Amino acid sequence: MSSEPNINIEHIATLARIALTDDEKRIFASQLGDVLAYIEKLREVDVSGVEPMAHAFPVFNVWIEDVSGPALPVEAVLRNAPASRDNMISVPKVVE
Amino acid sequence: MTPPYYFGTIAALSEALSVGKVSSLQLMREVIARTREVEPRVGAFNSFDELDALAQASASDLRRTEGRTLGLLDGIPIGLKDVIAVEGQPLTASSRMLANFVSPYDATVTRKLKAAGAICWGRLNLDEFAMGSSTENSAFKPTRNPYNLECVPGGSSGGSAAALAAGCAIATLGSDTGGSIRQPASFCNVVGLKPTYGLVSRYGLVAYASSLDQIGPMTRTLEDAAIVLGVIAGHDRNDSTSYPAQIPDYRSAMTTVRGPWRIGIPKEYFGEGLDPEVESAVQAAIAHYRTLGCEIRTVSLPHTQYGIAAYYIIATAECSSNLARFDGVRYGHRSSEARDVNELYFKSRAEGFGQEVKRRIVLGTYVLSSGYYDAYYLRAQKVRALIRNDFLAAYRDVDAILTPVAPTPAFRHGAKKDPLELYLNDIYTIGVNLAGLPAVSIPCGFTRAGLPMGLQLIGQPFREAELLAIGRAYEREHPWAERHPSL
């Protein structure tokens, strides 16, 4: 945790796959700077020897039997697809 | 019970339905008429389907005539937050991203409500993707507080709280990631229960932060909350975090669990920033428990002050991961401007998400990005463990913990523009989610300006019946929820 959090908004927006406008970049950088400065509080806490908690209860490795069950009909799934053709979702060209 | 039925409780209405004093169709017609009357001012609904609701009501009446009634919820209109899937109905999460999405299946809670005969009624407004505390972040419209239309209803389940308070549903479901059931319940004078993490399946709930999200009931009484919880709780193989807990009959269990109890008052929850009117209302409730013979003990939850920081790391990290699914490919908004697949992602997400959602995705992406994971996410998860340990240590000495729900009553629309200022408002509710505990918001009076206030009771894991019983000991003599708004 750097002492002066400075968020490279361009890089982060690219990682998040969101096109931000210049105004959004400027505003977010300032607002997130404030939030990150606040989050610095956590550096005060002594966490040595503390196991990280991902979950409220120690439930791990929940297995279910590998058997097929009822699934949605293709038509029902494609009803929400932005574009489809021949029972498939169509997208812009992926490879040149 | 006496009309108007739209302000009735589940307990009273199920009795009236069973003796034929009212039919489900009549009740549903009343609720629809009330909704048409007040909805233009309150704005609690993203949409509602009157014909579908009336058909469900007729089916309930037919079951009753044939002696096939399914239980206490049969024929009762229950509103659903617009993040809970109902087959054939819109599921928008109050986002442009899902503006045209129609659910192809029922959420597990929806399936259970239907199996109990409840009428699934309306799609209730929220902060986009449940991110917010005021319902002002909805992409469609802000919801207004029925007790003062100039004020927010709270959030993110603001539509669920406002619709119930305004008489547009008999009960509603909300979801709670950092206080999103309890805070709007306190702002709108209704009961809001966040169950123990893992008690209620989230299958069919639009995910925000999966290690924190939990669905729960919003009702007019604790008894009604017990009735709804009993229907929606239980293990579900479709949610791997669902816990195989025994589900008691909460309604009868809450009447058999008896005090006096040991009630903990965490000193960290009564400090700077707490509105004096809220504090005195909560102190009055503490005094009430003392007169009942309960032992009131001061307890300490020393890591409280780190809750918000830990929460906004964990929640945004998980949201950045969960919302990666909205890529413009399979469902949701797709930009018409995209020429290649990368533009499809960047532009669809830019056009589909609102400001707060983008802000949280960016923050979450940052804290998970290369070189920062240990400093932010891992450290937050360790602090989370310390916060949970604080609560578990306190429960060695007390049965439940009593606090305010929010530092202030409902604030005015547009009053809190700075994101951090709004985040700090979640101080009393966030610890419960981080620790995975059950907690309930109970109406505890009105300010001089006529705004509702709420107290929070925090219980021990999977001991909702006891939590509701402790709450009932206050509610019985302080039925604040019976005071309806004048709309």
Side-chain angles (χ1 to χ4, degrees):
Chain A
M1 220 176 276
S2 68
S3 57
E4 281 176 20
N6 194 359
I7 187 162
N8 180 346
I9 204 86
E10 199 93 43
H11 172 61
I12 301 301
T14 304
L15 291 177
R17 302 289 186 273
I18 301 180
L20 297 181
T21 65
D22 288 343
D23 271 352
E24 283 174 333
K25 284 178 200 159
R26 188 176 46 75
I27 295 167
F28 285 4
S30 139
Q31 288 170 336
L32 295 177
D34 290 349
V35 174
L36 289 171
Y38 177 79
I39 284 173
E40 292 289 301
K41 273 169 91 75
L42 292 189
R43 298 173 79 189
E44 300 165 9
V45 188
D46 178 7
V47 294
S48 48
V50 179
E51 280 294 308
M53 169 183 163
H55 243 263
F57 297 100
V59 182
F60 301 109
N61 294 341
V62 178
W63 302 95
I64 57 173
E65 281 178 50
D66 187 16
V67 289
S68 61
L72 294 172
V74 174
E75 313 82 65
V77 174
L78 290 180
R79 208 165 290 143
N80 285 302
S84 64
R85 203 175 63 199
D86 302 334
N87 263 359
M88 291 181 284
I89 292 166
S90 55
V91 292
K93 198 172 175 182
V94 179
V95 283
E96 289 300 327
Chain B
M1 77 171 297
T2 53
Y5 293 117
Y6 57 72
F7 275 135
T9 62
I10 295 170
L13 283 166
S14 67
E15 177 64 25
L17 285 164
S18 74
V19 299
K21 196 170 170 194
V22 63
S23 71
S24 177
L25 194 58
Q26 193 184 341
L27 171 61
M28 194 60 240
R29 284 200 175 116
E30 254 203 38
V31 168
I32 288 172
R34 172 69 175 175
T35 303
R36 284 184 176 179
E37 179 198 348
V38 301
E39 172 60 12
R41 279 167 285 154
V42 178
F45 290 77
N46 284 338
S47 62
F48 49 84
D49 186 338
E50 295 183 10
L51 291 179
D52 174 66
L54 292 169
Q56 292 183 65
S58 296
S60 168
D61 286 335
L62 181 64
R63 280 193 296 272
R64 202 171 293 277
T65 321
E66 295 177 346
R68 295 186 290 117
T69 297
L70 297 168
L72 293 173
L73 291 189
D74 204 334
I76 305 282
I78 296 189
L80 301 183
K81 185 177 182 179
D82 202 359
V83 278
I84 298 171
V86 178
E87 187 181 342
Q89 295 291 333
L91 178 65
T92 73
S94 288
S95 178
R96 282 188 299 277
M97 184 58 85
L98 290 172
N100 298 311
F101 189 89
V102 175
S103 296
Y105 61 86
D106 279 333
T108 296
V109 291
T110 306
R111 181 174 56 74
K112 289 185 165 199
L113 286 179
K114 286 180 176 174
I119 300 170
C120 293
W121 160 240
R123 311 298 306 152
L124 296 166
N125 199 14
L126 61 142
D127 288 293
E128 184 177 358
F129 282 104
M131 299 177 194
S133 317
S134 67
T135 316
E136 293 170 298
N137 291 337
S138 165
F140 306 134
K141 62 185 173 188
T143 296
R144 300 185 173 277
N145 191 312
Y147 288 88
N148 181 339
L149 297 173
E150 299 298 311
C151 290
V152 303
S156 65
S157 310
S160 298
L164 179 59
C168 305
I170 304 305
T172 58
L173 293 188
S175 63
D176 192 315
T177 306
S180 282
I181 287 174
R182 290 159 286 153
Q183 182 254 26
S186 80
F187 282 12
C188 292
N189 197 37
V190 298
V191 169
L193 173 65
K194 187 210 88 83
T196 307
Y197 184 79
L199 185 62
V200 177
S201 166
R202 292 96 46 87
Y203 180 69
L205 171 73
V206 177
Y208 160 23
S210 301
S211 79
L212 303 161
D213 295 339
Q214 189 65 194
I215 296 172
M218 303 175 79
T219 55
R220 299 196 166 112
T221 61
L222 289 159
E223 183 182 26
D224 279 6
I227 294 169
V228 177
L229 182 64
V231 169
I232 63 173
H235 182 256
D236 177 15
R237 71 195 296 275
N238 287 333
D239 177 352
S240 63
T241 65
S242 163
Y243 199 81
Q246 277 294 321
I247 307 304
D249 175 348
Y250 293 105
R251 189 194 192 198
S252 63
M254 71 183 275
T255 61
T256 52
V257 183
R258 292 195 194 287
W261 294 281
R262 298 162 304 161
I263 294 178
I265 312 298
K267 56 178 193 259
E268 293 84 1
Y269 282 56
F270 289 83
E272 198 188 336
L274 179 57
D275 178 274
E277 284 191 276
V278 174
E279 175 161 21
S280 75
V282 173
Q283 290 294 354
I286 294 169
H288 174 75
Y289 280 107
R290 199 174 271 121
T291 64
L292 294 179
C294 293
E295 184 187 335
I296 306 297
R297 286 194 184 187
T298 300
V299 296
S300 179
L301 302 170
H303 295 90
T304 298
Q305 57 166 319
Y306 304 110
I308 290 171
Y311 174 86
Y312 278 94
I313 291 171
I314 292 167
T316 59
E318 293 182 9
C319 107
S320 76
S321 169
N322 269 326
L323 272 63
R325 73 189 66 182
F326 297 103
D327 53 9
V329 174
R330 294 153 301 154
Y331 52 86
H333 176 75
R334 176 184 287 190
S335 174
S336 55
E337 308 287 314
R339 286 162 304 181
D340 59 36
V341 75
N342 259 321
E343 277 193 17
L344 185 77
Y345 299 151
F346 280 87
K347 290 189 175 174
S348 299
R349 290 163 67 77
E351 295 166 15
F353 292 137
Q355 293 292 296
E356 183 62 24
V357 175
K358 288 179 189 170
R359 197 156 33 233
R360 293 196 193 190
I361 290 174
V362 168
L363 179 60
T365 305
Y366 177 74
V367 300
L368 289 178
S369 63
S370 176
Y372 294 103
Y373 181 88
D374 286 4
Y376 288 115
Y377 192 67
L378 194 65
R379 177 167 279 261
Q381 285 190 314
K382 291 179 178 176
V383 173
R384 180 178 185 178
L386 294 172
I387 288 170
R388 177 170 167 81
N389 291 345
D390 285 353
F391 278 103
L392 297 184
Y395 285 132
R396 284 200 285 268
D397 299 321
V398 298
D399 302 302
I401 290 170
L402 194 159
T403 76
V405 180
T408 68
F411 44 89
R412 297 179 88 77
H413 281 277
K416 292 187 193 290
K417 289 201 168 63
D418 173 48
L420 182 58
E421 187 190 354
L422 207 48
Y423 298 171
L424 297 178
N425 236 37
D426 300 339
I427 177 82
Y428 304 139
T429 46
I430 262 171
V432 164
N433 299 79
L434 290 170
L437 301 170
V440 63
S441 172
I442 305 168
C444 74
F446 288 81
T447 64
R448 285 186 298 279
L451 288 169
M453 296 179 286
L455 69 87
Q456 172 173 245
L457 280 170
I458 306 169
Q460 301 176 62
F462 302 108
R463 287 169 67 170
E464 277 78 1
E466 182 183 48
L467 179 67
L468 293 165
I470 297 172
R472 181 71 187 131
Y474 171 80
E475 180 199 49
R476 188 183 296 117
E477 290 171 53
H478 303 89
W480 295 106
E482 290 173 8
R483 196 192 288 185
H484 304 301
S486 48
L487 272 165

